[in-house]
Amino acid sequence: MRIGIDISTFQSLNVATVPAFTPASISGLQLWLDASDGSTLFTDSAGTTAATADGDPVGCWKDKSGNNKNATQTDGTKKPLLKISIQNGLSVCRFDSVNDAFSLVSITQQTPSYVYAVVRMNSMTGGYRNLLNRTTTSAPYPPALYLSADGNPLVPCIYWGSDNSGNLLYTTTLSQAPHIVAFRIDLGSIGITVDSGSEQVRTHPQTVLTSWSTVSASSGQVLNGDICELLLYNSTINSTQNSTIMNYLNTKWGVY
C-alpha cells in the first residue's frame, strides 16, 4: 500500500529560523564601528555625505550599537581615509600616524569592559600608538589602549597607572598583518588576547575609571594603520560569548 503525502502540507508549515549573529546579539554593547558597512561612513562630521570612493576622508563613522555614539572629526586635515577592498575584500578606515583621530560621544568606562578590534599596523616604528584614549589624563591614570611599539609591528598594551607598573604589554611577537585584539579591563585584573591565542593577564591595584574620548589620539601617539571593526562592551563576556565574537570577526575579516 502506498501512502501519498501532499508536499504542500510541509510548505505551509512555519519553520523557525535562527537569526544570524551580530555583535548586538550580546548585551552591553556600547560602541560598534564597522568599516565594511558603507552606510555608516561619511565625509562630513554631520553624517550627510556618504564616503564611497577609495581615499575619501571620513568625518563621521556611525555607531551601529543603537546608542548613537558616532565617531566624528570636523577638521579636514585630521580625517582618516576610507580604503576600499583592503582586508578580505572589505573596506577599512586608515589612520596616518600624524594627526588622524575621531572624537567620541562620551562612553563611561565600567568594569568589566571588553574591547575587540580588528586592526593592522602599517609601520614598525614610532612608539606606542593609541587605539582608544581616555578623558582623564592626570594621575592616577585610568586605562588607555595602545597597539604598537618600536621594532615590533603590533604590541597591544593596556596602560593603567602613572608609570610602567600599570602596564600590561603583550609579550608575543606578532606579524605586520591584520589581527584581532581583545582587551579586558576589570577591577584588579586586566587581560589581552590576540587572535586564537591565550589571554595574557596581570593584576593591578588601580580602580580609577573615566570615559573613552577618542579613537586614535587627538595629538601625539596617533594610530598608524587600519581599523576594520571596533566593539566596546560594558558587561561581562563569558567564554562562550568571547569565542562567538572572535569567530564572527575572524570569519568576516579572514584574519587567521
Side-chain angles (χ1 to χ4, degrees), residues 104-109 130 132-138 140-144 208-214 218:
L104 288 174
V105 177
S106 179
I107 301 175
T108 302
Q109 289 181 16
N130 203 291
L132 275 177
N133 207 358
R134 58 214 170 179
T135 302
T136 302
T137 57
S138 58
Y141 294 96
V208 179
L209 299 177
T210 180
S211 298
W212 301 113
S213 62
T214 63
S218 56

Side-chain angles (χ1 to χ4, degrees), residues 44-46 58-61 70-74 101-104:
D44 60 314
S45 61
V58 180
C60 178
W61 194 352
N70 299 334
T72 60
Q73 177 57 261
T74 58
F102 289 116
S103 296
L104 288 174

Side-chain angles (χ1 to χ4, degrees), residues 13-154:
L13 294 176
N14 291 324
V15 179
T17 57
V18 178
F21 172 82
T22 76
S25 303
I26 295 175
S27 64
L29 182 63
Q30 301 297 304
L31 178 69
W32 177 11
L33 302 179
D34 178 6
S36 74
D37 187 346
S39 70
T40 67
L41 301 169
F42 298 84
T43 60
D44 60 314
S45 61
T48 58
T49 304
T52 57
D54 188 69
D56 271 354
V58 180
C60 178
W61 194 352
K62 289 197 172 179
D63 171 28
K64 295 173 64 173
S65 73
N67 297 313
N68 201 34
K69 302 288 188 179
N70 299 334
T72 60
Q73 177 57 261
T74 58
D75 187 335
T77 67
K78 298 181 179 181
K79 294 179 180 180
L81 301 181
L82 169 65
K83 298 300 293 180
I84 302 293
S85 299
I86 298 298
Q87 179 58 31
N88 208 29
L90 304 176
S91 299
V92 304
C93 239
R94 179 161 295 172
F95 295 74
D96 68 357
S97 83
V98 178
N99 56 11
D100 287 355
F102 289 116
S103 296
L104 288 174
V105 177
S106 179
I107 301 175
T108 302
Q109 289 181 16
Q110 296 180 19
T111 55
S113 291
Y114 290 78
V115 174
Y116 296 83
V118 183
V119 293
R120 179 184 185 275
M121 301 306 292
N122 290 329
S123 173
M124 292 177 64
T125 62
Y128 291 109
R129 300 294 180 169
N130 203 291
L131 174 65
L132 275 177
N133 207 358
R134 58 214 170 179
T135 302
T136 302
T137 57
S138 58
Y141 294 96
L145 307 183
Y146 292 87
L147 284 176
S148 182
D150 286 342
N152 195 333
L154 180 62

Side-chain angles (χ1 to χ4, degrees), residues 137-190:
T137 57
S138 58
Y141 294 96
L145 307 183
Y146 292 87
L147 284 176
S148 182
D150 286 342
N152 195 333
L154 180 62
V155 180
C157 174
I158 300 177
Y159 184 88
W160 192 315
S162 57
D163 55 36
N164 288 339
S165 66
N167 287 356
L168 170 60
L169 188 67
Y170 198 76
T171 58
T172 303
T173 299
L174 298 167
S175 62
Q176 191 170 352
H179 292 281
I180 303 171
V181 183
F183 299 90
R184 178 182 58 81
I185 300 169
D186 207 347
L187 293 176
S189 175
I190 51 182

